[in-house]
Amino acid sequence: MFDIEKEYLEAKKFSADLVIMFFGANVPKKYDTLTNLTITFGERYEQLRNYLDNGINTKFIHSQGFYIRPRLDAEKEIVAEKHCDMFVSIEDIRALDESHGRFNHPSDYGMRLIAERFLKYINKIL
């Protein structure tokens, strides 16, 4: 099993003021239809969020992934709401044909739009 404390120890030591949680693309597609899981993506996602929280002043920004994965997005949004963190929608960006590059990854333009969106939210909380 993936060990959050081992894999993210250096990030924890850094004690960031701001953490942007933008991932989930490598979660196998079969997850979207699985039931009776012993632990969900959302539960592990929240464990990571809590592990990275320095307990003093860490702000978190959560985001939809670039790939359209409603279950993952919903689980991330639940964690954001539970902790009163910001949740960023990029629905409009991922709907733009020109934001897609090779293999459905964001193009340079798509990456710029995503970065600009995050910056907009960062400016709201700092």
Side-chain angles (χ1 to χ4, degrees):
M1 180 189 245
F2 185 79
D3 185 346
I4 288 173
E5 292 182 12
K6 178 182 171 194
E7 298 298 327
Y8 286 92
L9 180 60
E10 292 303 313
K12 174 78 171 174
K13 287 179 185 177
F14 183 73
S15 193
D17 293 333
L18 174 67
V19 177
I20 297 174
M21 301 203 34
F22 179 65
F23 57 88
N26 292 327
V27 174
K29 285 290 275 182
K30 70 180 181 178
Y31 176 81
D32 297 342
T33 58
L34 294 175
T35 58
N36 298 325
L37 298 165
T38 55
I39 190 161
T40 66
F41 170 83
E43 289 168 324
R44 293 293 282 167
Y45 182 85
E46 184 173 18
Q47 288 173 356
L48 176 59
R49 183 245 177 253
N50 292 339
Y51 181 69
L52 295 176
D53 189 347
N54 68 23
I56 301 167
N57 58 358
T58 307
K59 305 280 191 250
F60 288 85
I61 296 177
H62 307 265
S63 176
Q64 291 175 316
F66 187 72
Y67 302 108
I68 299 172
R69 302 284 300 275
R71 183 174 180 180
L72 297 183
D73 290 343
E75 291 180 12
K76 290 187 268 186
E77 191 167 10
I78 287 167
V79 171
E81 288 175 2
K82 179 178 178 181
H83 294 279
C84 299
D85 297 335
M86 291 193 155
F87 186 81
V88 177
S89 172
I90 60 167
E91 193 75 35
D92 57 325
I93 296 170
R94 60 189 190 183
L96 296 171
D97 287 339
E98 60 270 24
S99 71
H100 292 263
R102 295 186 63 181
F103 309 111
N104 201 32
H105 287 80
S107 64
D108 289 345
Y109 178 68
M111 290 300 289
R112 188 181 95 213
L113 293 176
I114 293 167
E116 288 171 354
R117 181 68 49 87
F118 287 152
L119 186 57
K120 175 181 162 186
Y121 279 80
I122 289 168
N123 288 330
K124 287 182 180 183
I125 62 174
L126 294 181

